[in-house]
Amino acid sequence: MNKFVMAACIGMMATPGAFAQVTEEDLLNDQTITTQVVTNGMGRDWQRYSPLDQINRETVKNLFPAWSFSFGGERQRGQQSQPLIYDGVMYVTGSYSRVFALDAKTGRKIWQYDARLPEGILPCCDVINRGAAIYGDNIYFGTLDARIVALDRKTGAVVWNKRIADYREGYSYTAAPLIVNGLVITGNSGGEFGIVGAIEARDAENGELVWRRPVIEGHMGELNGEESTMTGTLNASWPGDMWKTGGGAPWLGGTYDAQTDTLIFGTGNPAPWNSHLREGDNLYAASRIGLDPATGEIKWYFQTTPWEGWDYDGVNEVIPFTDANGNGRLATADRNGFFYVLNREDGSFVDAMPFVKDITWASGIDENGRPIYNPENRPGNPADAADGQKGEVVWAVPGFLGGKNWQHMSYSQRTGYFYVPSNEWGMDIWNEPITYRQGAAYLGAGFTIKPLFEDHIGALKAIDPNTMEIKFEVPNGAPLWGSTMATAGGLVFYGTPEGYIQAINDETGEILWQFQTGSGVTGQPVTWEDEDGVQWLSVVSGWGGAVPLWGGEVAQEVSYLNQGGSVWTFRIPDQLLASAN
């Protein structure tokens, strides 16, 4: 890894607008203020839904690329970010911890910031960054060496730079920060290195730590510079000292439900993967956790995979919604292959269903929300092997990359469906002996991931959370690795590794429009309207992420895909807008 020199204010020119401050009210109402996108998820509830309908089933065929901007350099690895748009400026992050400010109508670069990354960073799953946050006069984003940085959004100059954790121990940070009531809230990454997952809140003005909540039982929290409360109860669900290196990284970021004033984060796999070394539920790994945003105290939890042994992280986004009967609900599509509906008030279990095919590790979910395990499908204990080196190999579905991985689903207020970018694959997996060593991989397992079907791996699925039915699915040859967006125009937008950004009919799944971007689309599409009432669509393009690095036979099948690094922006031509009016 080469060192990269920080370059703020590169190509800086006068920018549009008067740089009004982004307020808590702006963040709270982001989904309904159609001239901006100031939160990851197009609203802190992560519904990824837009009320705009100028681009609709009839007009989508007229979309054309208004501009494209290349991130440049040789750092064209996975690009999974979501652009933010405010006051005529687009802020977008790129691989290797870079931030770009662009004119939202032309793509002209205003400034660029490149983080100075040290030698020896240890990102598990590519050098991606999933986006920034915006508040006041600042842009906030995380870096691969586990830091959180505040930049002046006018110039790109550093306002403050704080360490989340020590990258030399295996920590990193790739998610978009979440901002609530003037606090910048982050998780951490690094579960494959025996780190301890934690959620932290900092003062947005100066970066000073306000509270810290470890998510593995036995660790002490912090509030206002002092020790607060223990997470859980020491050794209640972890044997011996295993909790000290228990993993559980909340690496995807979190949701804020303003209705209940609750932060909701998912937590990753327990460490190591070899579950025979840590028999027990292993709280609060592979879980969803509701927290008080003011103090970081845990209000409730729901564990999707107790005693997890397949790398089924529980980090997947949790989306608040109201069901057909007016009940407050939470929905999440877990890496373990099951789609869950929870009570919005306390996270308690309501219902679950499989959303991918041929699940082997569990036969279903019981009335309490716990999996009904197939004991023979747990990877074997190496201690039972004749040589003590390799436990029994099992064929497990889904593969460890999950029925759904990081890529976000969306919820349409028009149809009431969730649109889930899923994948159909399995794996041969086995356990091996392992001991913890700081900064070294802490797996204790081997694996080979394989597709289930010859004609497709990816499948975009529309799920009705009221009936717990899959209404339709759209298969895709390569794995789906980017997020979806639903709109009031009757459309769902998402990208494919084959390079397309495409729109489907939100009721039937029919593909109505697609555009080839030149590299795999694993980013997060957004839409907004300008001051003239023109609706725009943007998405980041650039193939990469975990699939090429960890995908086994799947990685070989998609090795032909080209890397890239760019953001594409589309609109309908003026003359067609005029004729439509």
Side-chain angles (χ1 to χ4, degrees):
M1 179 71 62
N2 294 324
K3 291 186 177 180
F4 300 107
V5 178
M6 186 273 287
C9 312
I10 294 177
M12 188 174 68
M13 299 171 65
T15 56
F19 285 97
Q21 287 198 335
V22 178
T23 66
E24 170 67 19
E25 186 175 2
D26 291 327
L27 301 177
L28 179 65
N29 298 306
D30 192 30
Q31 187 179 82
T32 57
I33 304 175
T34 55
T35 55
Q36 65 177 35
V37 179
V38 294
T39 59
N40 185 262
M42 301 173 63
R44 290 183 297 194
D45 56 9
W46 271 3
Q47 287 190 354
R48 298 189 179 276
Y49 174 79
S50 171
L52 292 172
D53 62 2
Q54 184 180 93
I55 301 171
N56 54 49
R57 293 175 188 168
E58 296 300 319
T59 62
V60 68
K61 64 180 179 292
N62 299 317
L63 280 180
F64 81 102
W67 58 263
S68 177
F69 175 83
S70 172
F71 295 152
E74 298 177 357
R75 299 169 226 163
Q76 297 188 8
R77 297 280 289 276
Q79 309 294 343
Q80 298 178 1
S81 66
Q82 179 209 285
L84 300 175
I85 294 94
Y86 188 76
D87 205 17
V89 180
M90 175 184 291
Y91 303 93
V92 61
T93 63
S95 56
Y96 288 101
S97 307
R98 294 175 289 168
V99 186
F100 303 85
L102 311 172
D103 185 301
K105 285 189 176 181
T106 67
R108 174 181 57 83
K109 184 168 71 173
I110 299 167
W111 55 257
Q112 175 179 341
Y113 174 87
D114 291 18
R116 181 184 290 115
L117 296 175
E119 301 284 352
I121 57 172
L122 297 167
C124 133
C125 307
D126 206 359
V127 290
I128 56 92
N129 187 285
R130 297 193 175 100
I134 183 172
Y135 181 69
D137 291 324
N138 295 338
I139 294 291
Y140 305 86
F141 86 113
T143 66
L144 287 165
D145 57 339
R147 303 189 74 87
I148 179 76
V149 182
L151 304 174
D152 185 302
R153 66 185 180 89
K154 307 179 192 69
T155 66
V158 175
V159 177
W160 52 258
N161 184 328
K162 301 291 185 179
R163 189 177 82 167
I164 296 172
D166 190 345
Y167 72 90
R168 291 166 294 190
E169 296 177 11
Y171 288 92
S172 56
Y173 184 65
T174 57
L178 173 65
I179 297 180
V180 177
N181 296 326
L183 297 178
V184 183
I185 300 160
T186 58
N188 58 24
S189 305
E192 274 61 57
F193 295 92
I195 57 85
V196 174
I199 301 161
E200 299 182 346
R202 285 178 168 77
D203 187 304
E205 289 191 8
N206 55 33
E208 294 304 312
L209 187 68
V210 175
W211 57 257
R212 184 175 190 272
R213 173 53 52 191
V215 300
I216 298 298
E217 69 178 21
H219 294 271
M220 296 300 296
E222 182 179 336
L223 177 63
N224 297 324
E226 298 182 357
E227 204 171 67
S228 58
T229 59
M230 180 181 287
T231 299
T233 302
L234 181 63
N235 288 133
S237 64
W238 288 82
D241 288 340
M242 297 300 293
W243 59 276
K244 293 182 178 179
T245 51
W251 54 264
L252 190 56
T255 305
Y256 175 63
D257 183 8
Q259 181 173 304
T260 61
D261 191 29
T262 303
L263 299 174
I264 310 171
F265 274 72
T267 61
N269 58 283
W273 288 18
N274 182 348
S275 62
H276 299 281
L277 297 175
R278 45 173 175 76
E279 190 164 351
D281 280 1
N282 307 144
L283 293 174
Y284 295 94
S287 300
R288 308 303 193 277
I289 301 176
L291 304 101
D292 183 329
T295 65
E297 291 295 323
I298 294 176
K299 300 167 70 171
W300 55 257
Y301 79 94
F302 176 78
Q303 189 172 42
T304 47
T305 317
W307 196 30
E308 193 281 313
W310 302 265
D311 191 35
Y312 295 153
D313 290 23
V315 297
N316 302 89
E317 71 281 6
V318 179
I319 298 179
F321 73 105
T322 302
D323 71 11
N325 296 318
N327 298 308
R329 297 293 188 233
L330 304 170
T332 186
D334 197 271
R335 195 153 148 175
N336 69 17
F338 288 92
F339 179 92
Y340 297 82
V341 175
L342 308 177
N343 184 295
R344 189 168 182 173
E345 294 295 326
D346 61 8
S348 58
F349 176 72
V350 175
D351 206 350
M353 61 170 279
F355 68 92
V356 293
K357 299 178 176 68
D358 301 337
I359 292 173
T360 63
W361 68 277
S363 61
I365 305 297
D366 70 17
E367 67 275 9
N368 298 312
R370 291 179 70 91
I372 304 168
Y373 288 109
N374 293 324
E376 68 279 3
N377 206 245
R378 182 175 294 275
N381 189 344
D384 296 335
D387 60 1
Q389 294 301 306
K390 183 176 181 179
E392 181 183 0
V393 180
V394 300
W395 169 249
V397 177
F400 72 91
L401 291 177
K404 190 177 81 64
N405 198 275
W406 81 271
Q407 62 273 21
H408 300 141
M409 63 184 182
S410 56
Y411 174 72
S412 173
Q413 297 176 14
R414 208 191 72 82
T415 63
Y417 298 165
F418 284 90
Y419 298 93
V420 184
S422 69
N423 292 299
E424 310 279 7
W425 43 24
M427 63 181 172
D428 290 322
I429 182 170
W430 59 92
N431 285 322
E432 302 168 344
I434 188 72
T435 55
Y436 173 75
R437 184 166 57 87
Q438 181 175 299
Y442 190 45
L443 299 184
F447 45 82
T448 301
I449 197 164
K450 303 175 183 179
L452 294 187
F453 308 111
E454 291 185 359
D455 61 340
H456 75 282
I457 299 171
L460 191 285
K461 304 192 180 188
I463 296 178
D464 185 337
N466 300 293
T467 63
M468 298 299 273
E469 296 176 298
I470 295 176
K471 306 302 288 188
F472 67 79
E473 63 180 89
V474 184
N476 192 76
L480 291 181
W481 212 250
S483 301
T484 67
M485 176 185 68
T487 75
L491 301 171
V492 177
F493 290 89
Y494 65 100
T496 73
E498 291 89 346
Y500 291 101
I501 174 65
Q502 57 191 35
I504 61 170
N505 182 311
D506 64 2
E507 294 179 329
T508 68
E510 178 188 1
I511 298 175
L512 301 178
W513 171 82
Q514 59 181 200
F515 179 85
Q516 174 58 246
T517 67
S519 182
V521 177
T522 61
Q524 307 168 49
V526 295
T527 190
W528 77 99
E529 65 178 345
D530 64 22
E531 67 277 8
D532 298 319
V534 176
Q535 184 179 353
W536 300 71
L537 166 75
S538 287
V539 70
V540 172
S541 169
W543 174 239
V547 176
L549 297 175
W550 294 75
E553 291 187 12
V554 171
Q556 296 174 22
E557 290 191 17
V558 296
S559 60
Y560 68 92
L561 297 172
N562 291 322
Q563 291 186 327
S566 58
V567 55
W568 289 83
T569 296
F570 305 85
R571 55 161 293 181
I572 296 170
D574 284 334
Q575 60 269 31
L576 293 179
L577 287 177
S579 63
N581 294 329

